[in-house]
Amino acid sequence: MTDRAAGETGVEGAEELRRQIERTRSELGDTVEELAGKMDVKGRARARAADLRDKAGAMSVQLRSTAAQAGHTVQQRATRAGHKVQDTAAKAGHQAHDRALKAGHTAQDRTVRTRHTLEDRAEHGMPWPAGPVVKAAVRHPRPALLIGAAVLAVAVVSWRYPKK
C-alpha cells in the first residue's frame, strides 16, 4: 500500500509538474512575443503613426464643427445687431419726421397769423397808397419779393456807384 500511495502521489506530482512546465512555456512565449514587439521599431512606428493620424482626423472634425458653430453664432449676433440698428434708425427717422412735421405746422401757423396781422394793419392802420400795396404783397408774395429785391438792388448800386 505504501507503493501504491507513493505511485499515486508521484503521478499526481508528475501531472502537476507538466502543468507548471506548460504554464511556464506559455508565459515564456508571451514574454518573447512582448520582447519581439518591442524590438519591432518599424511596426511600433507604424502603429504610432496610425494612432496619431486617427487623433488628427478626430481633432480636425472637432475643429471644423467648432468653427461652423462659431460662424453660426457670429451670424446670429450680426443679424440681431443689424435688426437693432435698423429699428433704431427707423425710430430716429420717425422722430425726425414728426419733428419736421410739427415744425412745418408751426411755421405755417405763424405765417397765417402774420398774414392776418399784416392784412388787418393794411386795412386799418396804413395810409391809402401803402395799404393796397401791402395787401397785394401779402396775397401774392412772390412778385412782391421780386419787386422788393429789384428795388433793393437799384438802391445798393446807386449808393455804391453814385453819379459824378
Side-chain angles (χ1 to χ4, degrees):
M1 273 209 180
T2 313
D3 286 339
R4 226 185 224 186
E8 285 179 14
T9 304
V11 172
E12 285 179 9
E15 277 301 312
E16 180 63 28
L17 275 177
R18 283 189 192 111
R19 274 190 244 128
Q20 285 179 359
I21 290 171
E22 191 57 39
R23 205 174 319 130
T24 303
R25 281 183 186 162
S26 175
E27 290 174 4
L28 183 61
D30 291 343
T31 304
V32 168
E33 279 184 35
E34 279 183 41
L35 288 174
K38 287 183 180 181
M39 296 303 290
D40 183 17
V41 177
K42 277 187 181 180
R44 286 178 43 204
R46 284 184 191 133
R48 179 75 174 144
D51 185 41
L52 290 175
R53 254 192 317 270
D54 291 345
K55 284 183 182 178
M59 196 178 289
S60 172
V61 168
Q62 184 179 7
L63 287 174
R64 284 183 188 149
S65 173
T66 302
Q69 187 176 7
H72 290 302
T73 302
V74 167
Q75 185 178 11
Q76 287 173 346
R77 287 181 182 175
T79 301
R80 276 192 233 125
H83 288 305
K84 188 173 182 180
V85 167
Q86 189 176 15
D87 291 345
T88 302
K91 286 178 187 176
H94 289 304
Q95 287 176 351
H97 177 265
D98 291 344
R99 287 178 186 163
L101 193 62
K102 186 176 179 180
H105 286 301
T106 302
Q108 192 174 19
D109 290 344
R110 286 182 183 170
T111 303
V112 168
R113 275 190 262 136
T114 303
R115 179 179 176 192
H116 289 303
T117 302
L118 287 174
E119 284 178 348
D120 285 345
R121 284 185 186 171
E123 282 184 31
H124 304 296
M126 291 191 176
W128 174 79
V133 172
V134 171
K135 255 186 178 179
V138 169
R139 287 190 186 128
H140 308 289
R142 285 188 185 151
L145 287 174
L146 289 173
I147 292 170
V151 169
L152 182 64
V154 168
V156 168
V157 167
S158 65
W159 174 73
R160 182 90 172 152
Y161 304 105
K163 290 183 182 178
K164 291 184 180 181

